[in-house]
Amino acid sequence: MAQTRFAPDRGLTSRMVTTMFFIGLLYVVVVGVLVVLLKGAWVVIMLLAGGLFIAQFWFSDRIAAFSMGAREVTPEQAPELHGAVDRLCALADMPKPRVAIAESDVPNAFATGRNQKNAMVCATTGLLRRLEPEELEGVLAHELSHVAHRDVVVMTIASFLGVLAGIITRAALWSGVGRDNRDQNAAIAVLIVTAVSAVVYAISFLLTRLLSRYRELSADRAAAILTGRPSALASALTKVTGQMARIPTRDLRKAEPFNAFYFAPAFNKESFNRLLSSHPTLEQRLDQLGRISAQLGRS
């Protein structure tokens, strides 16, 4: 990973390594089960699994950006946004990513890319309308730290196996393969594949959620230290979270599947199970920023 001035986070690095280890182990288990059950098609399974993994790694950022409506903009089209990214990249000593805007009233931002050279930072029109320049820079610094720490690509790869397992589970349940009692072996094979895929999906989901919550706190911390203005990021968090309540539920539902990539979740209900949440609570994030502000004030 290219060095930047974003504060390193050993806790994040260790969690990313652990997550990738277990995700890789689960990936081997899924492929192994399919190879054992479908012995005659093991070559096809290996090629398909490898091809899907490579495609996910190389094209996932483009797919995510397209799905969230990101449109790359030039400095002439969005001078203030480009200016903020320019200042932050110079401050962080990192390559400037592509800059994009998504036409959405949901106030949010996200970053994609498998490395710093292929990264993209995107802000929604709703965010640009609502934030002051210092608040916007805090949010953009948060997103750039995801790129610098490379947790964006880890999250993308980590989520792939869960998606694949979910597809396998739904395909097995909907296809009706093996329901014929005359083909008992096929029925048992389908049940095993479905059960393994369901377990893998659940484990992958929990692993990515645990990593996602920590990486958001890590990005807040890195952004606050880099800019030296944790209060601006805290103000942006408070404003964005408060404005979410004014967004139509229909629009929030459209954004919800991409919560793990966003600066703030589309839904942040207090009753929502924290174990399943993609983000830490607003109170946790503000409390951390308050501590950083106090530390900076003493130094």
Side-chain angles (χ1 to χ4, degrees), residues 132-143:
E132 298 298 325
E134 286 191 354
E135 295 171 337
L136 178 61
E137 285 197 7
V139 174
L140 294 174
H142 171 105
E143 297 303 329

Side-chain angles (χ1 to χ4, degrees), residues 123-285:
T124 65
T125 52
L127 185 80
L128 297 175
R129 283 198 301 270
R130 290 174 171 88
L131 296 189
E132 298 298 325
E134 286 191 354
E135 295 171 337
L136 178 61
E137 285 197 7
V139 174
L140 294 174
H142 171 105
E143 297 303 329
L144 288 172
S145 75
H146 285 317
V147 176
H149 291 152
R150 296 197 69 178
D151 53 89
V152 168
V153 66
V154 172
M155 278 296 296
T156 301
I157 295 174
S159 63
F160 167 68
L161 184 59
V163 173
L164 179 61
I167 292 173
I168 293 174
T169 302
R170 288 192 292 271
L173 291 174
W174 292 345
S175 65
V177 176
R179 290 180 182 175
D180 190 343
N181 292 330
R182 291 175 298 179
D183 192 357
Q184 187 175 5
N185 290 334
I188 293 173
V190 169
L191 288 175
I192 293 174
V193 170
T194 304
V196 171
S197 298
V199 172
V200 167
Y201 178 80
I203 295 174
S204 176
F205 182 85
L206 292 176
L207 285 173
T208 54
R209 284 299 186 267
L210 288 171
L211 176 60
S212 179
R213 289 195 294 274
Y214 185 89
R215 84 185 189 109
E216 293 302 327
L217 289 173
S218 176
D220 285 347
R221 182 165 53 251
I225 294 173
L226 179 75
T227 61
R229 294 192 298 267
S231 59
L233 182 56
S235 176
L237 269 170
T238 303
K239 186 178 293 186
V240 167
T241 303
Q243 289 291 319
M244 287 293 184
R246 302 182 181 182
I247 304 299
T249 303
R250 179 186 59 185
D251 295 337
L252 294 178
R253 290 292 182 193
K254 291 180 180 179
E256 190 177 14
F258 307 104
N259 268 350
F261 291 94
Y262 279 133
F263 168 68
F267 284 98
N268 193 27
K269 297 180 181 178
E270 291 297 328
S271 59
F272 193 65
N273 192 331
R274 292 187 182 183
L275 184 64
L276 305 180
S277 176
S278 60
H279 288 65
T281 64
L282 177 62
E283 290 74 15
Q284 288 175 308
R285 299 176 76 173

